[in-house]
Amino acid sequence: MNTFVALSTRQRMPVIGLGTWKSTSGQVKQAVHKALECGYRHFDCAAAYENEKEVGEALTLWVGPGKALQREEVFVTSKLWNTKHDPQDVEEACRTSLADLGLSYLDLYLMHWPIAFQRGKELMPRKEDGSICYSDTHYRDTWTAMESLVDRGLVKAIGLSNFNARQTDDIISMARHKPVVNHVECHPYLSQADLLSHCRSVGVCVTAYSPLGSGDRPWASANEPSLLKTPAQVILRWHIQRGVVCIPKSVTPSRIQQNLNVFDFSLSEEDTKSIESFNHNKRFIAPTVEVKRVWRDAEHPHFPFHDAY
């Protein structure tokens, strides 16, 4: 089993990376440091995680001339947030992430969601009633601006996050630089078999975020199932054997190490079928609002999860 996947750009993307969502200040620098020490060479970041400066501090200690690693040995992903979809804002947003991460280029830059929010500095712009302020910027126009980042050498490749199959095809139909990745929620309760098959058919790699079910997501309820009753390494191995890249988040040194130790065993066909039987299209990560438990952004015209996949 290879420890990397080959993207359509011929880049080699490690199949296990460190996720940094929900890693707080004071924790994420040590987590990245530990991951580098253990052998991680793939780091998944985003402006919306509001911790890229601290990630950058750890990377700077390890990566660069005269350091333990050369820049080309590390694969770093970041993401364009929803408030930066206006084509005028895309390059500045990318440059901000580069500055925070201490890098001259990104290996991969993703559109975090197909949904555009109102422009501005506020991460979650809201109306007086608490609902999100959306923008009518279309994700196709945002993509065109992202393509310019490739042309200028700011990013090696661009991709998608939280896009359904129809939206992925929409981008492919008009793209000069094709999306190399679709970064989606994927775990045994949401196996994404149809989306994975579709993405493979159009040459798009799937990265699984929250591959262990994200038990510490802020809106988790007490009565929802926990995938961590199944050993994390088994779940990660299941993803890898399906050709899916994984970015498990952890700030615990022992788990960071454990999550990388998944290349010395394999799952049988029976094991794989058993895990696949858990699937019931349970989506943990789409933000919900109370009192009625509904997807927060469901009324937006580009909300991706109304489609089956």
Side-chain angles (χ1 to χ4, degrees), residues 30-234:
Q30 285 303 113
V32 173
H33 176 81
K34 178 62 179 178
L36 285 161
E37 189 176 65
C38 291
Y40 282 74
R41 297 297 181 260
H42 174 188
F43 297 89
D44 182 80
C45 312
Y49 302 165
E50 298 185 299
N51 59 10
E52 287 191 322
K53 282 188 177 181
E54 198 167 324
V55 173
E57 289 172 7
L59 290 174
T60 299
L61 294 173
W62 279 77
V63 181
K67 307 278 178 68
L69 297 170
Q70 298 304 302
R71 173 64 185 91
E72 59 270 19
E73 295 180 84
V74 180
F75 193 103
V76 182
T77 299
S78 187
K79 307 178 191 73
L80 179 77
W81 184 238
N82 305 357
T83 55
K84 305 299 181 183
H85 276 215
D86 189 289
Q88 298 177 62
D89 298 331
V90 170
E91 182 174 340
E92 181 184 1
C94 179
R95 289 186 181 277
T96 297
S97 283
L98 286 170
D100 287 346
L101 292 165
L103 301 175
S104 61
Y105 69 87
L106 292 166
D107 297 277
L108 179 61
Y109 197 47
L110 307 177
M111 196 184 317
H112 208 147
W113 289 86
I115 299 166
F117 290 176
Q118 178 179 284
R119 296 174 70 191
K121 295 183 178 179
E122 193 175 355
L123 195 67
M124 302 292 290
R126 295 185 184 274
K127 303 173 185 175
E128 289 186 4
D129 64 2
S131 60
I132 298 292
C133 297
Y134 298 119
S135 162
D136 61 2
T137 301
H138 200 287
Y139 55 75
R140 288 195 299 264
D141 297 323
T142 306
W143 185 261
T144 298
M146 289 176 66
E147 291 179 314
S148 297
L149 304 177
V150 181
D151 299 335
R152 294 179 181 134
L154 297 175
V155 304
K156 295 288 187 182
I158 49 179
L160 309 171
S161 181
N162 297 299
F163 275 59
N164 61 36
R166 173 179 49 81
Q167 292 167 330
T168 300
D169 288 348
D170 194 16
I171 290 290
I172 290 172
S173 72
M174 50 74 63
R176 286 190 301 112
H177 295 293
K178 305 292 186 185
V180 299
V181 160
N182 193 7
H183 174 100
V184 298
E185 179 184 355
C186 186
H187 45 72
Y189 286 134
L190 183 69
S191 63
Q192 298 277 27
D194 290 331
L195 182 61
L196 177 57
S197 175
H198 181 82
C199 286
R200 280 178 176 157
S201 74
V202 293
V204 174
C205 173
V206 169
T207 295
Y209 70 74
S210 300
L212 305 177
S214 189
D216 62 347
R217 63 197 182 281
W219 50 84
S221 65
N223 61 354
E224 288 179 341
S226 171
L227 282 167
L228 292 181
K229 292 175 183 176
T230 301
Q233 288 172 313
V234 173

Side-chain angles (χ1 to χ4, degrees), residues 289-309:
V289 292
E290 305 296 351
V291 177
K292 182 181 177 183
R293 196 167 177 82
V294 296
W295 282 319
R296 186 193 63 209
D297 301 313
E299 294 184 5
H300 193 282
H302 300 151
F303 183 72
F305 305 144
H306 292 313
D307 290 29
Y309 65 93

